[in-house]
Amino acid sequence: MAPGTILGMSAAGPQDPRFADVGRLVVRCPDRPGIVAVLSRLMADTGANIIESQQHSSDPVGGTFTLRLEFVLADLATRRVELERALAALAGEWQFTWRLVEATRKPRLAVFVSKADHVLQELLYRVGSGDLRAEVAAVVSNHPDLEPVAKAHGVPFHHVPVTPDTKDAAEARALELVGDVDLVVLARYMQIVSADFCSRFPERLINIHHSFLPAFVGANPYRAAHDRGVKLIGATAHYVTAELDAGPIIEQEVARVDHRATVEDMRRIGRYVERQVLAQAVTWHVEDRVIVEGDRTIVFA
Amino acid sequence: MAPGTILGMSAAGPQDPRFADVGRLVVRCPDRPGIVAVLSRLMADTGANIIESQQHSSDPVGGTFTLRLEFVLADLATRRVELERALAALAGEWQFTWRLVEATRKPRLAVFVSKADHVLQELLYRVGSGDLRAEVAAVVSNHPDLEPVAKAHGVPFHHVPVTPDTKDAAEARALELVGDVDLVVLARYMQIVSADFCSRFPERLINIHHSFLPAFVGANPYRAAHDRGVKLIGATAHYVTAELDAGPIIEQEVARVDHRATVEDMRRIGRYVERQVLAQAVTWHVEDRVIVEGDRTIVFA
Amino acid sequence: MAPGTILGMSAAGPQDPRFADVGRLVVRCPDRPGIVAVLSRLMADTGANIIESQQHSSDPVGGTFTLRLEFVLADLATRRVELERALAALAGEWQFTWRLVEATRKPRLAVFVSKADHVLQELLYRVGSGDLRAEVAAVVSNHPDLEPVAKAHGVPFHHVPVTPDTKDAAEARALELVGDVDLVVLARYMQIVSADFCSRFPERLINIHHSFLPAFVGANPYRAAHDRGVKLIGATAHYVTAELDAGPIIEQEVARVDHRATVEDMRRIGRYVERQVLAQAVTWHVEDRVIVEGDRTIVFA
Amino acid sequence: MAPGTILGMSAAGPQDPRFADVGRLVVRCPDRPGIVAVLSRLMADTGANIIESQQHSSDPVGGTFTLRLEFVLADLATRRVELERALAALAGEWQFTWRLVEATRKPRLAVFVSKADHVLQELLYRVGSGDLRAEVAAVVSNHPDLEPVAKAHGVPFHHVPVTPDTKDAAEARALELVGDVDLVVLARYMQIVSADFCSRFPERLINIHHSFLPAFVGANPYRAAHDRGVKLIGATAHYVTAELDAGPIIEQEVARVDHRATVEDMRRIGRYVERQVLAQAVTWHVEDRVIVEGDRTIVFA
């Protein structure tokens, strides 16, 4: 038996009956009375059974309305076209954009790492357990250290060294190796990716920063946190934009430390916060629960 | 200036413009496709602007559907009748029950206490600050100790002593003094109220129990928690039913303790958990965010 | 009965038997093997019964050693001199400084506020309940709004208006009115105090800042937090130094918010975090549990 | 390379310089003035440099005193005998028992599991990362499912089926296979071990129970928690005694759930609480931070 199969990666596979015929619809439009009635009517007429419904209006007057529905529709794969046609027929009048997803489809992730394994291990564990319904298509690293971890889970590993001089070429090479993915996760990659790289994955590039942003932007945040004498250390998962550590925040969490904690203690404690925060953010993202609105996110948790 | 006015109790009074024309609608019915479409259509046709919407289905197939809407409807006080008529016209076909509330209306609370003041103080503070939009109509106690606290906030205080022999008469007397109230809050009352008393306030009688229920039912839970050596102590706010400490739970919270904590330390730490948990539960209740479903609650927080 | 007496401010007064003969000793010196043996021997020979002991070394080699003892010594008030003499006899050889406090002594606080009452109310409540063993000697404000709150607790209130032009004079006037106090607490004072003011209360001036420092230094942190889209809001209690919001942190805490939270919601939620954090910090300070070490604090919680 | 080596299990091996010459001393005796002075003097005279010191008295009068020291003593392995001789010379007079441990020594663990892998994976991850300084000597299970997980970490796996009829024999067989270990961890073993088994590992047998004990003792606690409508679910790590789920608690933690959570959701959320709680408890145990005192534990965290 190959090591890659050992951790139950097929535990919640595409055939998982819990997800058959489950669909997710996210709709965004200018807020206007009647939009919920129209969409609810459409779903009811289609025969969809709503199992989860969340909505948000950035401002009831003149704001943007966002609706996320999770529903069961018998024979969804076939009837999806019909549903899309019905949505398209209404989209013009109500000026909405939409995204319709079949829950059986597992998004493909590329995970970029450096030498630290804790976040990668957690993502692979959650994928294996089925708690994170995604497929890790590739692990990319500027160091060879974590190849065995990827291999143990049956995931292709690409070692792409990066130096200041070869950064553009390295990014290009990584993109080529990774191929077509739905989401890129920077799981303690420790490299600043280029603006061009960011622009290829708009709202599809998630980073974990090891501080409670916006405190301690940049390098060595645990050292900075220690020097400032904070009583809580944190981690922040955010979409990456061209500006360093400034993209829309998806999730944050903190852990308590006291005067005894050295920088090394903070790093150790922080690792558990980081893995939790990034895994949560990625899970919400692949379940279409995160919607970017300007510099902020809506999270239908 | 009377002491009762000092704590800003009018800070968020009935004329608070934030609540003018704000309504809340809670609808419950057997789950059935189309119910959201019908209700959304009704609200849209009425001209209501939905500002918050939450729903829950106990089971998409054969379960009970619950919807809570918060909306703005110009001239609500006048148009309320029209809205109720429209709801009544649909209620039969969809088998729904509903509750329509104007947010400007402040529910009247009776708060039952004994000697401990911490929970009462917190409720009065939150009412005064406007964070808890309610009116404390009366404070009732089996001891005279907290009369000054009630008086300082301009709230009538009724001392109704209770002995095992006089319990029924005392309850009757308390009810008479309290008059017509929307909610009775047992804020560390330390008396077990009768089944008859409970039955007069179905889903309108909230107690704070000073443990993480169902652990440590009954008297002296901090002593029991200490003896069991727990590492977290808790508090539970729940609706009171005839069975002791067994009613539907609204809110729970815990605080960490360690081996140094004596029973007295647990009581002291616990007081801050109790006041937080009860105040939160009462706030949710008066905002019509809590719906009892069998032995459990739906909380649209 | 005066309103000031109603909230049980004498509940844990100087005669509280729990604190009779209880002393606290804090010793600091260069770390060197044997210091604990010497101090333990001294206490044992004196007949003191140690009830709490905590120690910290900034670095076992070449660092600073800090020891905090809580002990019972029969007839402490009388025997204190003898204990001090014994400490003095050793201080030179071991190069230590010390602070010896009788627990019955309640530190005198001056609380500076502006218009918001939540932190002041909490401090007064905790003083009244005995959970915070201190005496509020005076409340000072640049606005008259909170005079009734102070008066209701029997605390002198001084209205000292401040304008950019009169700041120095206002501070001088406030200091004169406040007189001799052990600790100054800026309980949402909303004014930046002068470097001169800071220097009069070294390690005895505590501020509550309504953010998770060092994020959102300066004015309007909730607005800034909202605009940045953080998922946790925080509060920080710190000693005030000449540099704005940069003094040693005593305590921090956070609360979760989501995309629905407006700036006003964050302010409301934040008030409960602020009151908790400041009250905790002041409590630790008056119990001699906080020791400043450079830009950081040791907290023997 | 064998899969077992890939996860960095040697990251913090016996030669880890951070632990060379580090010792831990735990002393317990009747509380009596002077004990700290005597022990501190002994350590100072030996030349040990104290890097951590914690103490607790169950009652300053007539109670039991517990001291835990962590220290650096050059050439500890050699000088250990001398230190033990010095302790033995004092033990009679002060009636103390002691435990002296070299930090380089890694305790040997036997981990008993059933089919669920989450807690085992976490323990193996923490051992591999060096955060949990222990050696997993064997994994035992009544099912074969987790053999690949153990093997991937290079840990011997023993499949010992259990039926009601074969329980005694199965326990005997497991003990034989496991051999000499310092600690047995029931990591969701799902079997009630016999009183005889418990008695072989006094204060060296840790279980994770998937509820906030003492709530929901026994089987299927998530189902019971769901039915009771709790708002927090918990997990409890405790030493196992002959009485089911009643042994001294080491650590507890909770996670928030709401009305949407099904029993299955609670199980999923709970798994993350369980792994955190058990890993923390085991870590504290192997660092000699947990001392059983009657039905409770002292945890020098």
Side-chain angles (χ1 to χ4, degrees):
Chain A
M1 181 166 31
T5 64
I6 64 177
L7 300 173
M9 287 194 64
S10 60
Q15 280 74 37
D16 189 319
R18 287 177 300 162
F19 298 98
D21 292 335
V22 171
R24 294 193 290 259
L25 174 66
V26 177
V27 173
R28 304 201 73 204
C29 62
D31 202 352
R32 196 170 124 198
I35 178 68
V36 174
V38 161
L39 290 167
S40 305
R41 171 53 53 208
L42 185 158
M43 297 305 284
D45 289 348
T46 309
N49 206 347
I50 308 296
I51 52 180
E52 196 176 328
S53 170
Q54 284 163 296
Q55 61 188 73
H56 178 67
S57 180
S58 63
D59 189 334
V61 180
T64 298
F65 173 81
T66 307
L67 176 73
R68 180 188 183 278
L69 296 177
E70 208 161 310
F71 60 91
V72 179
L73 177 59
D75 208 9
L76 174 62
T78 310
R79 300 198 56 206
R80 185 194 165 121
V81 182
E82 172 192 341
L83 189 53
E84 288 180 321
R85 212 175 295 132
L87 286 162
L90 287 168
E93 181 187 347
W94 291 88
Q95 298 175 263
F96 64 67
T97 56
W98 87 88
R99 175 174 161 77
L100 181 66
V101 177
E102 294 175 53
T104 49
R105 182 180 178 279
K106 286 190 174 184
R108 286 167 57 83
L109 316 186
V111 182
F112 282 57
V113 298
S114 186
K115 290 179 173 181
D117 73 339
H118 57 288
V119 189
L120 175 62
Q121 294 268 22
E122 181 70 7
L123 290 173
L124 290 168
Y125 167 73
R126 294 202 185 192
V127 164
S129 72
D131 290 348
L132 169 54
R133 281 183 47 77
E135 179 193 343
V136 180
V139 172
V140 175
S141 178
N142 54 335
H143 293 284
D145 307 52
L146 301 187
E147 175 157 13
V149 175
K151 287 276 182 278
H153 290 78
V155 173
F157 178 88
H158 307 295
H159 177 209
V160 183
V162 181
T163 66
D165 290 348
T166 63
K167 187 162 170 169
D168 287 356
E171 283 189 355
R173 176 74 182 133
L175 288 173
E176 188 184 300
L177 288 164
V178 157
D180 192 29
V181 292
D182 297 286
L183 179 69
V184 174
V185 181
L186 306 182
R188 297 297 309 269
Y189 180 46
M190 310 300 276
Q191 298 288 320
I192 298 173
V193 295
S194 69
D196 178 62
F197 190 97
C198 294
S199 70
R200 283 170 186 264
F201 300 97
E203 303 176 11
R204 298 191 295 128
L205 175 57
I206 296 180
N207 181 48
I208 180 72
H209 184 75
H210 38 314
S211 84
F212 182 84
L213 286 177
F216 311 123
V217 166
N220 221 339
Y222 290 125
R223 162 71 56 193
H226 182 270
D227 291 350
R228 181 62 189 90
V230 296
K231 299 301 183 184
L232 301 170
I233 55 171
T236 304
H238 62 96
Y239 288 113
V240 181
T241 57
E243 188 183 346
L244 182 65
D245 297 335
I249 293 169
I250 304 168
E251 172 65 340
Q252 302 186 292
E253 193 47 274
V254 294
R256 192 158 278 273
V257 292
D258 67 21
H259 56 271
R260 299 177 299 175
T262 61
V263 176
E264 191 44 53
D265 291 331
M266 288 185 174
R267 283 195 190 105
R268 180 174 45 77
I269 296 166
R271 283 198 293 265
Y272 293 87
V273 184
E274 294 164 29
R275 72 173 188 178
Q276 160 63 23
V277 167
L278 183 62
Q280 180 65 81
V282 171
T283 301
W284 281 334
H285 177 95
V286 302
E287 294 177 353
D288 301 292
R289 296 182 182 278
V290 190
I291 291 97
V292 175
E293 188 162 72
D295 296 332
R296 312 169 72 237
T297 62
I298 298 166
V299 180
F300 289 130
Chain B
M1 182 166 33
T5 64
I6 65 176
L7 301 173
M9 288 193 61
S10 59
Q15 281 74 35
D16 189 319
R18 288 178 298 162
F19 298 98
D21 292 335
V22 171
R24 294 193 290 259
L25 174 66
V26 177
V27 174
R28 305 200 73 204
C29 61
D31 202 352
R32 195 170 124 198
I35 177 66
V36 174
V38 161
L39 289 168
S40 305
R41 172 53 54 209
L42 185 158
M43 297 305 283
D45 289 349
T46 309
N49 206 346
I50 308 296
I51 51 180
E52 196 177 327
S53 170
Q54 285 164 296
Q55 61 189 72
H56 179 67
S57 180
S58 63
D59 190 332
V61 181
T64 298
F65 173 80
T66 308
L67 175 73
R68 180 188 183 278
L69 296 177
E70 208 161 310
F71 60 91
V72 179
L73 177 59
D75 208 9
L76 174 62
T78 310
R79 301 197 55 205
R80 185 194 165 122
V81 182
E82 173 193 339
L83 189 53
E84 289 181 320
R85 212 174 296 133
L87 286 162
L90 289 167
E93 181 188 347
W94 291 88
Q95 296 176 264
F96 64 68
T97 56
W98 87 88
R99 175 174 162 76
L100 180 66
V101 177
E102 294 175 52
T104 50
R105 181 180 179 278
K106 286 189 174 185
R108 287 167 57 83
L109 316 186
V111 182
F112 282 56
V113 299
S114 186
K115 290 178 173 181
D117 73 338
H118 57 289
V119 189
L120 175 62
Q121 295 269 21
E122 182 70 7
L123 291 173
L124 291 169
Y125 167 73
R126 294 203 184 191
V127 164
S129 72
D131 289 349
L132 170 53
R133 282 183 48 76
E135 180 193 343
V136 180
V139 173
V140 175
S141 180
N142 54 336
H143 293 286
D145 308 51
L146 300 187
E147 175 157 13
V149 175
K151 288 277 183 277
H153 290 79
V155 173
F157 177 88
H158 307 296
H159 177 210
V160 183
V162 180
T163 66
D165 289 348
T166 63
K167 187 162 171 170
D168 288 356
E171 284 189 354
R173 176 75 183 133
L175 287 173
E176 188 183 300
L177 288 164
V178 157
D180 192 31
V181 293
D182 297 286
L183 179 68
V184 174
V185 181
L186 305 182
R188 298 296 309 270
Y189 180 46
M190 310 300 277
Q191 298 287 320
I192 298 172
V193 294
S194 70
D196 178 61
F197 190 95
C198 294
S199 70
R200 283 169 187 264
F201 299 98
E203 303 175 11
R204 297 190 297 128
L205 176 57
I206 296 180
N207 181 48
I208 180 73
H209 184 74
H210 38 313
S211 85
F212 182 85
L213 286 176
F216 311 124
V217 166
N220 221 340
Y222 290 125
R223 161 73 55 195
H226 183 270
D227 291 352
R228 181 63 188 89
V230 296
K231 299 301 185 185
L232 301 170
I233 54 171
T236 304
H238 62 96
Y239 289 112
V240 181
T241 57
E243 187 182 346
L244 182 65
D245 298 334
I249 292 169
I250 305 168
E251 172 64 341
Q252 302 186 291
E253 193 48 273
V254 294
R256 192 157 279 274
V257 292
D258 68 21
H259 56 271
R260 299 176 300 174
T262 61
V263 176
E264 190 45 52
D265 290 331
M266 289 185 174
R267 283 195 190 104
R268 180 173 46 77
I269 295 165
R271 284 198 293 266
Y272 293 87
V273 184
E274 294 165 28
R275 72 173 188 177
Q276 162 62 23
V277 168
L278 183 61
Q280 181 64 81
V282 172
T283 301
W284 281 334
H285 177 95
V286 302
E287 295 178 352
D288 300 293
R289 296 183 182 278
V290 191
I291 292 97
V292 174
E293 189 161 73
D295 296 333
R296 311 169 72 237
T297 62
I298 299 166
V299 179
F300 290 129
Chain C
M1 181 167 32
T5 63
I6 64 177
L7 302 173
M9 288 195 62
S10 60
Q15 280 74 36
D16 189 321
R18 287 177 299 162
F19 299 97
D21 291 336
V22 171
R24 295 193 289 259
L25 175 65
V26 177
V27 174
R28 306 201 72 203
C29 63
D31 202 353
R32 196 171 123 198
I35 177 67
V36 174
V38 162
L39 290 168
S40 305
R41 172 53 54 211
L42 186 157
M43 298 304 284
D45 289 348
T46 309
N49 207 345
I50 309 295
I51 51 180
E52 196 177 327
S53 171
Q54 285 164 296
Q55 61 189 72
H56 178 68
S57 180
S58 63
D59 190 333
V61 181
T64 298
F65 173 80
T66 307
L67 175 72
R68 181 188 183 277
L69 295 178
E70 209 162 308
F71 60 91
V72 179
L73 177 58
D75 208 8
L76 173 62
T78 310
R79 302 197 55 205
R80 185 193 165 124
V81 181
E82 172 192 341
L83 188 53
E84 288 179 321
R85 212 175 295 133
L87 286 162
L90 288 167
E93 182 187 347
W94 291 89
Q95 297 175 263
F96 64 67
T97 57
W98 87 87
R99 175 175 162 75
L100 181 65
V101 178
E102 294 174 52
T104 49
R105 182 181 179 278
K106 286 190 175 184
R108 288 167 55 83
L109 316 185
V111 182
F112 282 56
V113 298
S114 186
K115 291 180 173 180
D117 73 339
H118 57 287
V119 188
L120 174 62
Q121 295 269 21
E122 182 70 6
L123 290 172
L124 291 168
Y125 167 74
R126 294 202 184 192
V127 165
S129 72
D131 290 348
L132 169 55
R133 281 184 47 77
E135 179 193 343
V136 180
V139 173
V140 175
S141 180
N142 54 335
H143 293 284
D145 309 51
L146 300 187
E147 176 158 13
V149 174
K151 288 276 182 278
H153 291 78
V155 173
F157 178 89
H158 306 298
H159 177 208
V160 183
V162 180
T163 65
D165 288 348
T166 63
K167 187 161 170 169
D168 287 356
E171 283 188 356
R173 175 74 183 134
L175 286 173
E176 189 184 299
L177 289 164
V178 156
D180 193 30
V181 293
D182 297 286
L183 178 69
V184 175
V185 181
L186 305 183
R188 297 298 307 271
Y189 179 46
M190 310 300 277
Q191 298 287 321
I192 297 172
V193 295
S194 69
D196 178 63
F197 190 97
C198 295
S199 70
R200 284 169 185 264
F201 299 98
E203 302 176 12
R204 298 191 295 128
L205 176 57
I206 296 179
N207 181 49
I208 180 72
H209 184 74
H210 38 312
S211 84
F212 182 84
L213 286 176
F216 312 123
V217 166
N220 221 339
Y222 290 125
R223 160 74 54 192
H226 182 270
D227 291 352
R228 182 62 188 91
V230 296
K231 299 301 185 185
L232 300 170
I233 56 172
T236 304
H238 62 97
Y239 288 113
V240 182
T241 57
E243 188 182 345
L244 181 65
D245 298 333
I249 293 170
I250 304 168
E251 171 67 340
Q252 302 186 290
E253 192 48 273
V254 294
R256 193 158 277 274
V257 291
D258 66 21
H259 56 271
R260 298 177 300 174
T262 62
V263 176
E264 191 44 53
D265 290 331
M266 288 184 174
R267 285 196 189 103
R268 179 173 46 77
I269 295 165
R271 284 197 293 266
Y272 293 88
V273 184
E274 294 164 29
R275 71 173 189 179
Q276 161 63 22
V277 168
L278 183 61
Q280 180 64 82
V282 172
T283 301
W284 281 335
H285 177 95
V286 301
E287 294 177 353
D288 300 293
R289 296 182 181 277
V290 190
I291 292 97
V292 174
E293 189 162 72
D295 297 332
R296 310 170 72 238
T297 62
I298 298 165
V299 180
F300 289 131
Chain D
M1 182 167 32
T5 63
I6 65 176
L7 301 173
M9 288 195 63
S10 60
Q15 280 74 35
D16 189 319
R18 289 177 298 162
F19 300 98
D21 290 335
V22 171
R24 295 192 290 259
L25 174 65
V26 178
V27 174
R28 304 201 72 203
C29 62
D31 202 351
R32 195 170 125 199
I35 177 66
V36 174
V38 161
L39 290 167
S40 305
R41 171 53 53 210
L42 186 156
M43 297 305 284
D45 289 348
T46 310
N49 206 345
I50 308 296
I51 51 179
E52 196 177 328
S53 170
Q54 285 163 295
Q55 61 188 73
H56 178 69
S57 180
S58 64
D59 190 333
V61 180
T64 298
F65 173 80
T66 308
L67 176 73
R68 178 188 186 277
L69 295 178
E70 209 162 309
F71 60 91
V72 179
L73 177 59
D75 207 10
L76 174 62
T78 311
R79 302 197 55 207
R80 184 193 165 123
V81 181
E82 171 192 340
L83 189 53
E84 288 180 322
R85 212 175 295 133
L87 285 162
L90 287 168
E93 181 188 347
W94 291 90
Q95 297 175 263
F96 64 68
T97 57
W98 87 87
R99 175 174 163 76
L100 180 66
V101 178
E102 294 174 53
T104 50
R105 182 181 179 278
K106 287 190 174 185
R108 288 168 54 84
L109 316 186
V111 182
F112 281 57
V113 299
S114 185
K115 291 180 173 180
D117 72 339
H118 58 288
V119 189
L120 174 62
Q121 295 269 22
E122 182 70 7
L123 291 172
L124 291 169
Y125 167 74
R126 294 201 185 192
V127 165
S129 72
D131 290 348
L132 169 55
R133 281 183 49 77
E135 180 193 342
V136 180
V139 173
V140 176
S141 179
N142 54 337
H143 293 284
D145 308 52
L146 300 187
E147 175 158 15
V149 174
K151 287 275 182 280
H153 290 78
V155 173
F157 177 89
H158 307 295
H159 177 208
V160 183
V162 180
T163 65
D165 290 349
T166 63
K167 187 161 171 168
D168 287 355
E171 284 188 355
R173 176 75 182 132
L175 286 173
E176 188 183 300
L177 288 164
V178 157
D180 192 29
V181 292
D182 297 286
L183 178 69
V184 175
V185 181
L186 305 182
R188 299 296 308 270
Y189 180 46
M190 311 299 277
Q191 298 287 321
I192 298 172
V193 295
S194 70
D196 178 62
F197 190 96
C198 294
S199 70
R200 283 168 186 265
F201 299 99
E203 303 175 12
R204 298 191 295 127
L205 176 56
I206 296 180
N207 181 47
I208 180 72
H209 184 74
H210 38 313
S211 83
F212 182 85
L213 287 176
F216 312 123
V217 166
N220 221 339
Y222 290 125
R223 160 73 55 194
H226 182 270
D227 291 351
R228 182 61 188 90
V230 296
K231 299 300 184 184
L232 300 169
I233 55 172
T236 304
H238 62 97
Y239 288 113
V240 181
T241 57
E243 187 182 347
L244 181 65
D245 298 333
I249 292 170
I250 304 168
E251 172 65 339
Q252 302 186 291
E253 193 48 272
V254 294
R256 191 158 278 275
V257 292
D258 67 20
H259 55 270
R260 298 177 300 174
T262 61
V263 176
E264 190 44 52
D265 291 330
M266 289 184 174
R267 282 195 190 104
R268 180 174 45 78
I269 296 166
R271 283 197 294 264
Y272 293 88
V273 184
E274 294 164 28
R275 72 173 188 177
Q276 160 63 22
V277 168
L278 183 61
Q280 180 64 82
V282 171
T283 301
W284 281 334
H285 177 95
V286 301
E287 294 177 353
D288 301 292
R289 296 182 182 277
V290 191
I291 291 97
V292 174
E293 188 162 73
D295 297 333
R296 310 170 73 237
T297 62
I298 298 166
V299 180
F300 289 130

